[in-house]
Amino acid sequence: METPQKVQVKKGKGDKFLNVVSGISAVFIALFIAFMVGRYIFLANYRYYPVSGTSMQPTINAGLSEQSVKDGVYIKYNEQINVNDIIIIKLEDRVNTIIKRVIAKGGDKISIRKYDEYDNQYRVSVIRDGSENIEILQEDYILSYPGWSYDEGITFGSEVYESRFYETFLKATLEPESHFVNRYDVSYEGDTYFVEVPEGEIFYMGDNRGASLDARINGTCTEEQVVGVVKVIIRDVSTAKSNNTLWWEKIKAVFGYFWNEIGNFFAWS
């Protein structure tokens, strides 16, 4: 009985073409799936916010007219909150969110008063949690120290405190007859009255101190009221919108952020 011989079938050009098309299709499908998964992860952790108002100038230059610069930001949800972070906050009595900078956290002690050695301008002084040292903050990000210091303030003892800070944080303790009610612990350190930020709460201010409604008016906020931490600032979104390039500016800004994060990761590795 003869053994049947195997018949070799030669693949034609048509079969090779189909294999190439199949391979390319598989690559595109894999890239599409990766894109959709990445997009889902990104949207679950990040959100874009356009910025209105001037309270964070010059760091975030929101424009109030067509000729002005207006920026936007991407925030990250559920991020560790640190001093100097820029954050989005949702207060209970406000419809809209606000954007501010973290100045102090729970356990820190804070004061705002004028200092002779700084040309009688306001400075923020802080005693960080666990420390006994008084630190006078040199905030190079604020819009204007002289512009902020136009507020005449309130004199108590030998020092002049910023009026809004005094009214919200110090008055109840230093003027008990006023029946002004607050919930903050006040202590006298050196020659200055300090307020302790409650645990789990944040003292926040805008960089444009003369035009910011912040903790000096509202009191501290809780960490739970923080929507997210700003990770990316997109410059001049007004012009980008008019030129239909905002999507490209967003991609460049986000890519730059993740590129830096990758570099930081390998630097720590």
Side-chain angles (χ1 to χ4, degrees):
M1 184 174 182
E2 294 183 358
T3 303
Q5 295 182 354
K6 294 182 179 180
V7 179
Q8 293 182 349
V9 179
K10 293 184 178 180
K11 294 184 178 181
K13 292 182 178 179
D15 292 331
K16 291 181 179 179
F17 176 76
L18 290 175
N19 288 338
V20 171
V21 171
S22 177
I24 293 174
S25 298
V27 170
F28 274 103
I29 291 172
L31 289 174
F32 177 76
I33 292 173
F35 170 79
M36 295 304 294
V37 171
R39 182 176 182 273
Y40 173 80
I41 294 173
F42 180 82
L43 294 178
N45 290 278
Y46 297 86
R47 179 179 174 182
Y48 174 76
Y49 276 84
V51 179
S52 59
T54 61
S55 69
M56 280 300 294
Q57 289 183 346
T59 307
I60 300 175
N61 294 302
L64 298 181
S65 69
E66 293 181 0
Q67 290 77 31
S68 300
V69 174
K70 186 172 184 178
D71 298 338
V73 299
Y74 269 105
I75 67 165
K76 186 177 182 181
Y77 300 122
N78 303 315
E79 182 76 341
Q80 175 68 38
I81 303 168
N82 298 309
V83 170
N84 283 332
D85 280 346
I86 299 174
I87 56 176
I88 298 287
I89 306 167
K90 180 65 177 71
L91 300 178
E92 295 177 358
D93 58 345
R94 291 194 174 213
V95 176
N96 298 322
T97 55
I98 58 176
I99 182 167
K100 305 295 176 185
R101 185 184 295 274
V102 178
I103 305 299
K105 296 180 61 180
D108 293 341
K109 296 178 180 179
I110 188 166
S111 187
I112 303 174
R113 71 172 182 85
K114 290 186 175 182
Y115 284 86
D116 293 337
E117 59 266 40
Y118 293 106
D119 298 323
N120 203 35
Q121 296 173 357
Y122 286 119
R123 290 294 190 275
V124 177
S125 51
V126 178
I127 303 174
R128 297 298 180 191
D129 187 22
S131 173
E132 297 181 354
N133 297 324
I134 298 176
E135 176 188 2
I136 300 176
L137 301 185
Q138 306 304 312
E139 302 174 285
D140 56 3
Y141 46 75
I142 79 167
L143 182 62
S144 169
Y145 275 120
W148 179 20
S149 301
Y150 282 137
D151 169 49
E152 294 183 0
I154 295 176
T155 301
F156 194 87
S158 59
E159 308 302 338
V160 179
Y161 296 88
E162 204 236 28
S163 57
R164 290 175 292 181
F165 175 79
Y166 181 91
E167 290 286 338
T168 301
F169 291 94
L170 297 177
K171 188 172 184 177
T173 300
L174 304 184
E175 299 181 33
E177 68 280 1
S178 68
H179 303 293
F180 192 89
V181 178
N182 70 7
R183 57 188 177 86
Y184 300 101
D185 293 332
V186 177
S187 60
Y188 192 67
E189 313 282 348
D191 57 355
T192 303
Y193 284 100
F194 283 84
V195 173
E196 183 170 343
V197 180
E199 288 297 331
E201 299 192 13
I202 293 169
F203 185 96
Y204 58 92
M205 286 196 288
D207 292 353
N208 185 0
R209 297 288 159 79
S212 176
L213 301 179
D214 44 44
R216 294 169 294 169
I217 300 293
N218 305 319
T220 55
C221 73
T222 65
E223 293 188 2
E224 287 73 22
Q225 290 174 303
V226 175
V227 180
V229 176
V230 171
K231 293 297 183 180
V232 178
I233 300 175
I234 301 175
R235 301 296 183 187
D236 197 2
V237 299
S238 299
T239 301
K241 278 186 176 180
S242 64
N243 295 333
N244 295 318
T245 59
L246 180 56
W247 62 274
W248 175 240
E249 296 300 324
K250 287 183 177 180
I251 290 174
K252 287 195 300 182
V254 171
F255 179 80
Y257 162 69
F258 281 112
W259 183 258
N260 288 333
E261 289 294 292
I262 292 171
N264 292 334
F265 174 79
F266 283 108
W268 280 99
S269 297

